[in-house]
Amino acid sequence: MLKPGLNLQLGQTLTMTPQLQQAIRLLQLSTLELQAEIQQALESNPMLEQVEDEGEEAPTERPEEGGELVEGDRMQADTAGDDVIPEELSTDSRWDDIYEPAPSPRGLDDRDPLENTSDGEDEGLQDHLLWQLHLSHLTPRDQRIGAALIDAITPDGYLDGELEALAEMISQGEDEPVGVDEVEAVLHWIQQCDPLGVGARDLRECLEIQLGHLAPDAPARDAARAILENGMESLAKRDYRALQRQSGVRDPDELARALDLIRTLNPRPGAQISEPSSEYVVPDVYVRHDRDGWRVDLNPEIAPRIRINDLYAGMVRQVSDARDSAFMRDQLQEARWFLKSLHSRNDTLLRVAQAIVERQQGFLEHGEVAMQPLILRDIAEALEMHESTISRVTTQKYMHTPRGVFEFKYFFSSHVGTADGGECSATAIRAMIRELIGDETPNKPLSDAKLAQILSDRGINVARRTVAKYREAMHIPSSSERRQMASMPSGNKQKGA
């Protein structure tokens, strides 16, 4: 028979306090997300304020009045178990602490402040086509058909869907059924709009529309049309011998001029209208070289300068109402924790960046061929942190170097063994493959097996299929395709297909 009873058990559990959760969350935010988080904190917490004046100094001494009071409030807050400040965060904060980024490295403040400004949202392809449709003299019925067709055009400018299905869909909103011939007639009108080639159903039709608007006496116009009508498959494979046979263009010079003309056409006409605005990457750290070696500095512009408001912090004890006093005390503690989390984030970010730069000095000095193999565990062990922390720090964080702007994760890559027992990073191997292919004889391109053999002679043990994988990742054609490109008609060898 079961009877109720009491027993005592001892155990250990890991509990993350809200403050530690906040520090981890700030650590994984990107620059833009961090700026939004700081702005939200400024709007929601009256104890935080932004330092507007660049020359304004943070107070260095604490006033006597209210000083002990704030310290006492902090001691009361520290007695709570959930508010104990862990050792990995910065030292204890005072109410006159200020979060102030490091001074800008020399030469970084000379940039144009309007460099990254935007002119607003660009007009989309559908809006551009609808604008032309509304200016046309089409009947209201045809304009409704045109609006439905425009809605079915992809950002690249191609019509998505069959005319029969589109006609059936458009007929649902019309008193009389819409025929396929009506839809095709309106589509033909759209295909003459700007940009030329928009509304095409495939690549051949897109290019033929653009050829049709050239002058009849344009050089190689007829030859280019013959190539598009009969040799699209051979053109895609760069099989120029078959292309001459299928198109009937036997003269190599005429074929070369026709291919040059086709290359002037736009295979994605809608992209020039619907191309998204450029997104600028804001680096989190700057890496530069001076006489003492490579130096890493935090970007002082990634976050506004904020601090605890002196006036509100000094009023904590002056408030007589217990509820208001508790609210202000809580807001003051949250503000302190927020500043600590920001300090902890920047400190961790800088330490990880310095560790990466220390191990990748070869890349900074000599390029990708000198990239060293590196994994998250290497940085985690060097900094005595967990791999998950390093993963958070290196995600969507960018480093400005003399060789360009790179995400932290760019410096981490897998590796293969070398003949002397060492390791070589995958990034360096890709750079070597690109260099070997760039120096090859055009009529005798290097096969994947030959590339693997050359790398093996250099002491890098890499399989042929691994070379093929790296080559395809860099969008480099195979040796047979490169040989066909080299044997193409004169005048086109340097341009590619």
Side-chain angles (χ1 to χ4, degrees), residues 69-90:
L69 194 56
V70 177
E71 186 71 22
D73 292 336
R74 186 187 64 192
M75 293 175 61
Q76 293 177 10
D78 289 344
T79 57
D82 292 340
D83 293 334
V84 177
I85 302 176
E87 295 181 355
E88 57 266 21
L89 291 178
S90 305

Side-chain angles (χ1 to χ4, degrees), residues 372-373 415-425 456 458-461:
Q372 296 297 316
H415 60 273
V416 298
T418 59
D420 58 358
E423 297 176 342
C424 182
S425 71
S456 178
R458 295 184 179 183
I460 301 175
N461 302 322

Side-chain angles (χ1 to χ4, degrees), residues 220 222-232 234 239-256 258:
D222 295 335
R225 177 166 291 175
I227 291 174
L228 295 179
E229 290 178 355
N230 305 307
M232 283 294 294
S234 297
D239 189 349
Y240 299 105
R241 296 184 185 275
L243 189 61
Q244 286 179 302
R245 183 176 61 255
Q246 295 169 356
S247 64
V249 183
R250 299 295 183 177
D251 185 8
D253 293 335
E254 182 69 10
L255 181 64

Side-chain angles (χ1 to χ4, degrees), residues 24-209:
I24 294 177
R25 185 169 56 85
L26 291 181
L27 190 62
Q28 64 189 6
L29 294 181
S30 65
T31 298
L32 295 179
E33 293 170 340
L34 177 65
Q35 292 174 351
E37 186 75 16
I38 292 177
Q39 186 61 36
Q40 181 180 0
L42 287 170
E43 295 174 356
S44 61
N45 195 328
M47 292 294 175
L48 290 174
E49 66 175 356
Q50 183 172 351
V51 181
E52 302 290 348
D53 187 4
E54 293 295 334
E56 185 177 353
E57 296 289 342
T60 57
E61 296 183 1
R62 301 178 59 193
E64 293 183 7
E65 183 177 358
E68 297 180 357
L69 194 56
V70 177
E71 186 71 22
D73 292 336
R74 186 187 64 192
M75 293 175 61
Q76 293 177 10
D78 289 344
T79 57
D82 292 340
D83 293 334
V84 177
I85 302 176
E87 295 181 355
E88 57 266 21
L89 291 178
S90 305
T91 56
D92 206 5
S93 170
R94 296 165 61 175
W95 62 268
D96 57 355
D97 282 350
I98 177 173
Y99 167 65
E100 189 170 351
S104 173
R106 184 178 304 174
L108 299 183
D109 292 334
D110 299 334
R111 293 168 294 176
D112 184 2
L114 301 180
E115 180 181 1
N116 292 346
T117 57
S118 174
D119 296 333
E121 295 185 1
D122 297 333
E123 181 185 34
L125 177 61
Q126 271 73 22
D127 294 334
H128 185 66
L129 294 174
L130 288 174
W131 170 73
Q132 299 175 72
L133 179 66
H134 295 155
L135 294 178
S136 68
H137 298 287
L138 298 178
T139 63
R141 178 183 175 90
D142 287 343
Q143 288 202 9
R144 290 192 292 271
I145 297 174
L149 289 174
I150 290 174
D151 188 59
I153 292 178
T154 66
D156 286 340
Y158 290 89
L159 184 68
D160 184 15
E162 300 293 335
L163 293 184
E164 292 79 5
L166 292 173
E168 182 179 354
M169 179 191 69
I170 299 172
S171 298
Q172 298 177 1
E174 296 292 334
D175 297 334
E176 299 180 5
V178 176
V180 177
D181 55 342
E182 291 182 89
V183 177
E184 190 168 7
V186 177
L187 177 62
H188 178 73
W189 180 90
I190 293 176
Q191 290 174 347
Q192 313 309 311
C193 291
D194 178 67
L196 285 177
V198 71
R201 285 157 285 190
D202 53 37
L203 178 60
R204 176 189 287 110
E205 184 178 19
C206 176
L207 299 180
E208 287 178 344
I209 292 172

